[in-house]
Structure formats: C-alpha cells, structure tokens
C-alpha cells in the first residue's frame, strides 16, 4: 500500500481563514492560525493550533476540524462545519474596515498632492529684501535692484525657474520682514548665534567682510582710544552695532552711539558734523567715503561671514523654495 508522507507525520500549518468557500478549501477572514496538523481521517485534519483573531483576539489549543470537506471528483458537495453563522458578520466588518482604510489612504494622498502642488506653484515666486548697501546690494539709477548678492540670487533664480519679487526697505525693515515670513530671502546678513536661532542660513558664505570707522580728514581720529567721548553713527539693528558696543566697552570708552537707518545718511551726518565718525563695512566705505570727503581710519574690527538667509521653517510645513538655496 502506498501511503503518502502527509498521512504519517504531523505537518506545519499556517493559515489565514477568510470565510470564503471554493472547490478546494474553506477558509475565513476572522483568524490567522499557526500550528501543526495531521490527517486523521478522510478529509479530516486535526492538530494543535494557535489562532489569533483579525477583528477579535482568541486562543485555543485542540483538535481542529475546520477543513472538513466532502469531495466528489474535486467538486465541493458539503459545507464548512465551523463558524458558519459568523460569516456575514465578519464579512461586514471586513468591508467596513477596508472602506475606512481606503478612505484614509485617499485623504492622505490628496493632502500630499495638494501640498506638493502648492509648493511647486509657489516656488516660482520668491520675495527678496533690498536695502542700500552698495556694492553688495542696492538700487541702481534706473530703479532696478543690483549688487553682488542680487547677481548671485538672479543666477540661482534662472537655474531654479524662480520669479523674483523685490521688496525695498531699510535694513531693519528687511530683517523684521524676514522673521515674519513676509520675504523669502534677505541678502547681506552676517551670521551670529542669535540670528541663527531666528533664520535659516545656507552652508557656504557669499562674502567675508569687516567693519571700519570713517571720519572727516581733519578729525584726527586714528585709534579706538580717540573715540572716547565722541558721537559715532552706527547702522540700526546691525551686527556692527552690537560688536562696536562690545569693542568700545572693552577699552572702557564712553562713546555715544547714534543708530541710523542707512549708510548714506550716516556718511551725510559725518560730513555735516552731526556726528564725529561712522562705522560701516569696508565694501561700502571704500566705495563711497571719498564722495563725502571722508577717510578711513585705523579702527578696524569684527570680521564677519555674509549670507542670504531665509525664514526659519516651522516643522511639518510645506516650504516653497528649492533646497538648493541652502548650498549657494
């Protein structure tokens, strides 16, 4: 007599019962079974099984006859003998579960699509702050923004398909707009620990700079000690304002600082005698001092790295700029 191996030995069994009957098996979607079974009679399987409910959890160990089938020429003539009454309930639960799953997947896909579409559409409009600090950033005679930083930003815009919108204002206004998210980029910003908390800086600096004091030719100002008791114009809310305060206090000087909105006004005040000196970056000073009859002094301090930062990005928000701006 030829006896097959499955009739003699216990066999591993893993099943996912779906409450579905066909010509070969009867299974149901309410449980996942893991265990061993053995043919113990015609079309009857028995064994020790662990079962875990899909919609409800239960465990049992014992003889399982769920696969009891009566076949004739491979055609099903009988019926499943286990959990027949629960079939419709499980089917309804399955339909509800998968309907909810599909609905949430659709909502998630829709939100992702809308967010991505908004980012793509808005990426073509980039607002850039402009203030007067030539040759780095300024407005030329025709009223068009120009300068080293503007040239670089416009090159990136041509590569990234941006539409640039310039927003003119003072230096302090530009920083305030950047922090509130009213503009996307502010050129010519020195990196400091405090600013790094407020803005997002790219990795590679655009320029290096330092600050220098400028005065009238007959002022006699050459050393930092000569500024004791003097009036010094400084750009409002600038790095040099903080740096010069720290620098002068280190020498124990009693200097009166006058905060001014722009460099042009500072040089005009020095030329008129309203203040004794003005502190600017060396780019602006070397380009404009002679026009106002001013000269540079030996008062030089605070080297700085210059960037074009963007607003700090809130977690989970859809940002509209290409991340390539981070590596310029």
């Amino acid at each position: 007599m030829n006896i097959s191996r499955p009739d003699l030995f216990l066999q591993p069994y893993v099943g996912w019962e779906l409450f579905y009957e066909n010509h070969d098996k009867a299974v149901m979607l309410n449980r996942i079974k893991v265990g061993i079974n053995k043919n113990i009679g015609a079309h009857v399987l028995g064994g020790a099984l662990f079962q875990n409910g899909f919609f409800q959890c239960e465990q049992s160990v014992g003889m399982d006859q769920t696969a009891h089938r009566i076949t004739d020429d491979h055609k099903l003539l009988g019926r499943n003998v286990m959990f027949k009454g629960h079939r419709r309930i499980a089917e309804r639960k399955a339909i509800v579960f998968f309907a909810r799953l599909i609905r949430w997947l659709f909502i998630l896909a829709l939100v992702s699509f809308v967010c991505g579409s908004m980012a793509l559409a808005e990426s073509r409009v980039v607002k850039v702050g402009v203030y007067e600090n030539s040759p780095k950033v300024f407005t030329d005679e025709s009223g068009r923004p120009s300068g080293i930083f503007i040239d670089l930003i416009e090159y990136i815009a041509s590569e990234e398909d941006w539409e640039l919108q310039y927003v003119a204002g003072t230096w302090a206004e530009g920083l305030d707009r950047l922090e509130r998210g009213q503009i996307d980029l502010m050129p010519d910003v020195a990196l400091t620990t405090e600013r790094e908390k407020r803005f997002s800086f790219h990795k590679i600096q655009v320029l290096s700079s330092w600050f220098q004091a400028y005065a009238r030719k007959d002022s006699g100002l050459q050393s930092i000690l000569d500024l004791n008791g003097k009036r010094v114009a400084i750009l409002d809310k600038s790095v040099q304002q903080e740096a010069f305060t720290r620098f002068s206090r280190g020498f124990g000087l009693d200097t009166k600082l006058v905060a001014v909105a722009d460099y042009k006004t500072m040089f005009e005040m020095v030329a008129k005698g309203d203040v004794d000196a003005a502190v600017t970056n060396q780019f602006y000073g070397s380009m404009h001092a002679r026009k106002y009859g001013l000269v540079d002094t030996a008062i030089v301090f605070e080297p700085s790295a210059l960037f074009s930062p963007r607003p700090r990005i809130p977690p989970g928000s859809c940002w509209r700029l290409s991340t390539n701006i981070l590596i310029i």
Side-chain angles (χ1 to χ4, degrees):
M1 180 177 63
N2 183 16
I3 301 177
S4 64
R5 185 179 182 87
D7 291 328
L8 293 176
F9 302 100
L10 291 172
Q11 300 296 313
Y13 174 85
V14 178
W16 187 4
E17 301 193 344
L18 299 170
F19 268 132
Y20 174 74
E21 295 182 358
N22 61 20
H23 291 170
D24 297 319
K25 62 183 75 174
V27 291
M28 63 182 203
L29 176 63
N30 203 31
R31 303 186 306 172
I32 297 175
K33 289 185 175 183
V34 179
I36 55 176
N37 62 25
K38 181 178 184 290
N39 273 330
I40 59 176
H43 309 296
V44 178
L45 299 177
L49 300 173
F50 172 84
Q51 61 188 34
N52 188 27
F54 188 74
F55 294 103
Q56 58 186 11
C57 293
E58 58 178 340
Q59 297 180 8
S60 67
V61 177
M63 302 300 290
D64 186 56
Q65 297 183 357
T66 60
H68 185 197
R69 299 183 302 275
I70 302 175
T71 61
D72 181 18
D73 296 331
H74 302 289
K75 294 182 180 179
L76 186 66
L77 298 178
R79 63 185 181 86
N80 181 16
V81 298
M82 185 176 182
F83 297 111
K84 186 70 174 182
H86 294 167
R87 178 186 303 173
R88 293 182 179 177
I89 296 176
E91 287 177 345
R92 285 196 296 268
K93 288 182 177 180
I95 292 172
V96 172
F97 173 79
F98 284 110
R100 290 177 179 175
L101 178 62
I102 292 172
R103 182 181 65 182
W104 283 110
L105 289 175
F106 174 77
I107 293 174
L108 179 62
L110 182 61
V111 170
S112 300
F113 174 77
V114 171
C115 187
S117 299
M118 291 175 60
L120 181 61
E122 294 179 358
S123 67
R124 298 179 182 176
V125 178
V126 178
K127 296 181 179 180
V128 181
V130 177
Y131 78 111
E132 299 304 316
N133 187 6
S134 61
K136 295 184 290 182
V137 53
F138 64 98
T139 305
D140 62 20
E141 296 178 355
S142 64
R144 184 181 181 280
S146 187
I148 300 171
F149 279 87
I150 299 300
D151 290 344
L152 178 60
I153 291 173
E154 289 188 346
Y155 172 78
I156 295 174
S158 65
E159 294 292 316
E160 298 293 333
D161 195 25
W162 294 349
E163 178 185 340
L164 297 178
Q165 291 184 1
Y166 293 104
V167 181
T170 65
W171 166 254
E173 289 172 344
L175 287 185
D176 290 341
R177 287 167 179 162
L178 185 67
E179 188 167 20
R180 292 195 297 266
Q182 295 176 347
I183 59 176
D184 301 304
L185 295 174
M186 182 63 188
D188 189 29
V189 179
L191 175 64
T192 66
T193 302
E194 187 272 335
R195 285 177 178 172
E196 199 168 16
K197 298 177 182 178
R198 299 163 57 196
F199 311 122
S200 293
F201 286 80
H202 45 85
K203 296 179 181 179
I204 301 175
Q205 69 188 59
V206 178
L207 293 173
S208 296
S209 182
W210 60 86
F211 305 121
Q212 193 165 6
Y214 293 83
R216 294 182 302 276
K217 293 181 180 180
D218 58 353
S219 67
L221 301 177
Q222 288 299 322
S223 166
I224 181 65
L225 300 178
D226 296 330
L227 292 178
N228 189 37
K230 302 296 184 180
R231 300 160 299 171
V232 178
I234 203 89
L235 186 65
D236 189 27
K237 294 185 179 181
S238 64
V239 171
Q240 57 261 45
Q241 184 177 20
E242 302 172 5
F244 185 81
T245 300
R246 185 174 62 252
F247 185 51
S248 59
R249 286 178 179 174
F251 286 91
L253 303 181
D254 181 19
T255 303
K256 181 182 179 180
L257 294 183
V258 180
V260 182
D262 59 82
Y263 288 128
K264 180 176 181 292
T265 303
M266 289 168 55
F267 275 11
E268 290 175 347
M269 292 174 67
V270 178
K272 294 177 182 178
D274 295 336
V275 295
D276 299 297
V279 174
T280 73
N281 62 81
Q282 96 282 3
F283 288 103
Y284 188 90
S286 60
M287 187 171 183
H288 299 282
R290 183 177 299 180
K291 181 171 60 176
Y292 294 91
L294 309 181
V295 295
D296 58 347
T297 70
I299 305 170
V300 179
F301 62 99
E302 196 74 11
S304 58
L306 304 179
F307 299 81
S308 294
R310 66 185 187 183
R312 182 159 290 280
I313 306 170
S317 64
C318 296
W319 188 249
R320 64 190 181 193
L321 286 185
S322 166
T323 54
N324 288 345
I325 190 66
L326 294 175
I327 58 175
I328 63 172

